[in-house]
Amino acid sequence: MNERPRYSIVAPCFNEEVVLHELYRRICQVMDQTGEPWELVLVNDGSRDRTPEIMRELHAADPRVKVVDLARNFGHQIAVTAGLDYARGDAVVIIDADLQDPPEVILQMIDRWKEGYEVVYAVRTERKGESWFKEFTAKLFYRIIYRITDVDIPLDTGDFRLMDRKAVEAIKRMRERHRFIRGMTSWVGFRQTGVHYVRERRFAGETHYPFRKMLKFALDAITGFSYLPLQLATYLGFTIAGLSGVAALLVVYARLFMGTAPFYGQATTLVTVLFLGGVQLITLGIIGEYLGRIYDEVKGRPLYLVREVLGFDEEETTKEPRQTTEDGGRRTKDD
Ligand code: UDP
Ligand code: MG
């Protein structure tokens, strides 16, 4: 059994061949300053480039580099989850592979951790090299999430954070499929604090978060932490019913005292009917978003499948399948 590291750095990687060497170099530079044992857990999220080969090379050259090779692309949040499942450090840091999160900040996080904080998240004060659209939608998103969810998710934080073993174990017990890890780490509580940093531009390559993925991510976050969209149907229902009550009184009044009908012709009827149809379809769609997610949960499939792991002991390599059976208390015994 190899030495249990004090720190684990978890980096999800999807087509990151151009950044991996630099990531490794920077992580070594920073982590060696701690003078304590550490491991770098690289999760290959079904890359289609040379990412897995480079990971293998890095592992062969330095056994502190561990590899979790997923069977296909499972998405960023699931890749991070796989990394957390395998990481063994007393403190675990989640970091993007593209060096947008400067590894130097980890040292600050470690200082706060040693002061007794169990979750240290990184708050970005500035974002470099990202389009105004991404910056604007991100800002808007964090503010909406902040307003409508029940957990206090700090503004402008990504997944770049350090977690104490206690917090990691708590997260590992949350096996939900549509994951919003920054929300989940707030939800677990514990003593939390933030450190500030400037988000750099990507070291190389391009973002793997096109608008479509960002939208799905936002929906996962909202549905995972808020019922507000569902309650919207109730609010809309009351508002529209109230308005139509007023309209009915107006019609009666106009008929009795003015001798005319205040609403004329088919156009009014048509617009009203279409409007209501639209509202109903939207609320149905909202229910659909929740329903689909419930269905995914009920199926109870494993969160991810692993092709191969490198650098973990036998005990750890058998971990994933075991975990999915232990998973979320889905035992049939009591059913
Ligand atoms: N990533 C991943 N799976 C995906 C998409 C992204 O593991 O399906 C990783 C990616 O390699 C990077 C991190 O998630 O380490 C953040 O992705 P990216 O830099 O593309 O997003 P952005 O920083 O532009 O939001
Ligand atoms: Mg990035």
Side-chain angles (χ1 to χ4, degrees):
M1 177 140 188
N2 49 21
E3 190 187 9
R4 191 185 158 90
R6 182 114 159 110
Y7 305 108
S8 300
I9 315 293
V10 170
C13 308
F14 177 56
N15 296 344
E16 299 288 8
E17 59 179 7
V18 284
V19 303
L20 275 180
H21 285 288
E22 182 64 12
L23 173 72
Y24 170 68
R25 196 185 64 79
R26 290 271 297 275
I27 292 286
C28 284
Q29 210 177 43
V30 169
M31 294 312 291
D32 285 343
Q33 292 177 39
T34 61
E36 290 170 295
W38 55 270
E39 65 178 3
L40 172 62
V41 181
L42 296 173
V43 183
N44 172 31
D45 188 17
S47 302
R48 287 181 280 270
D49 61 1
R50 290 196 62 249
T51 299
E53 286 81 21
I54 297 175
M55 286 179 175
R56 200 176 291 272
E57 285 163 25
L58 288 173
H59 167 71
D62 182 349
R64 291 177 301 182
V65 178
K66 319 274 168 80
V67 179
V68 180
D69 192 9
L70 300 185
R72 63 170 169 85
N73 180 260
F74 282 91
H76 174 218
Q77 300 285 298
I78 300 281
V80 171
T81 307
L84 292 180
D85 287 345
Y86 280 91
R88 295 170 311 152
D90 297 329
V92 180
V93 177
I94 304 172
I95 193 168
D96 278 1
D98 58 5
L99 292 168
Q100 281 196 284
D101 309 325
E104 291 69 28
V105 180
I106 297 175
L107 294 177
Q108 275 166 266
M109 294 178 169
I110 289 177
D111 285 343
R112 307 311 298 270
W113 175 61
K114 289 188 170 163
E115 286 168 21
Y117 289 99
E118 284 134 342
V119 176
V120 187
Y121 49 85
V123 185
R124 32 201 184 216
T125 48
E126 196 187 319
R127 284 170 162 241
K128 287 191 188 163
E130 285 181 308
S131 64
W132 68 267
F133 181 73
K134 177 133 191 170
E135 208 168 317
F136 173 74
T137 46
K139 277 233 143 80
L140 185 70
F141 168 68
Y142 288 115
R143 273 142 195 90
I144 292 179
I145 283 288
Y146 187 76
R147 288 291 295 274
I148 71 172
T149 55
D150 313 326
V151 282
D152 276 340
I153 302 166
L155 289 174
D156 302 318
T157 60
D159 288 329
F160 186 25
R161 58 188 63 222
L162 178 148
M163 285 184 275
D164 183 80
R165 175 61 31 205
K166 287 198 277 288
V168 175
E169 290 304 321
I171 300 278
K172 279 165 72 173
R173 290 172 55 195
M174 298 160 77
R175 304 309 285 181
E176 62 218 58
R177 198 148 305 276
H178 297 274
R179 303 172 80 79
F180 181 55
I181 290 175
R182 51 204 84 163
M184 292 161 63
T185 53
S186 300
W187 183 88
V188 297
F190 294 112
R191 275 187 296 270
Q192 309 219 353
T193 187
V195 295
H196 291 268
Y197 80 112
V198 175
R199 188 154 164 92
E200 295 294 330
R201 41 187 97 238
R202 226 173 197 285
F203 175 71
E206 281 180 11
T207 174
H208 306 298
Y209 261 98
F211 186 65
R212 180 178 48 81
K213 274 196 196 172
M214 273 163 53
L215 200 63
K216 181 185 171 297
F217 183 63
L219 282 175
D220 283 345
I222 294 172
T223 52
F225 286 90
S226 173
Y227 297 135
L228 189 76
L230 288 173
Q231 291 159 341
L232 221 57
T234 320
Y235 301 143
L236 268 174
F238 274 112
T239 312
I240 293 176
L243 285 177
S244 58
V246 173
L249 289 178
L250 274 180
V251 174
V252 171
Y253 179 83
R255 275 281 175 164
L256 290 180
F257 301 106
M258 291 154 67
T260 58
F263 305 115
Y264 302 101
Q266 286 183 346
T268 321
T269 319
L270 202 63
V271 168
T272 319
V273 169
L274 286 179
F275 172 73
L276 279 180
V279 169
Q280 283 168 351
L281 285 178
I282 291 170
T283 46
L284 207 58
I286 292 176
I287 296 172
E289 290 292 336
Y290 282 87
L291 191 66
R293 284 170 173 79
I294 296 171
Y295 184 44
D296 280 343
E297 296 297 343
V298 169
K299 280 189 280 194
R301 292 185 185 164
L303 280 184
Y304 55 84
L305 294 170
V306 176
R307 178 185 299 123
E308 183 186 26
V309 295
L310 298 173
F312 297 98
D313 295 330
E314 194 56 30
E315 192 190 328
E316 265 87 18
T317 53
T318 53
K319 185 152 93 180
E320 212 280 324
R322 199 177 68 214
Q323 229 169 34
T324 51
T325 49
E326 278 173 9
D327 218 39
R330 286 199 192 88
R331 281 155 307 191
T332 45
K333 204 173 75 192
D334 305 328
D335 288 356

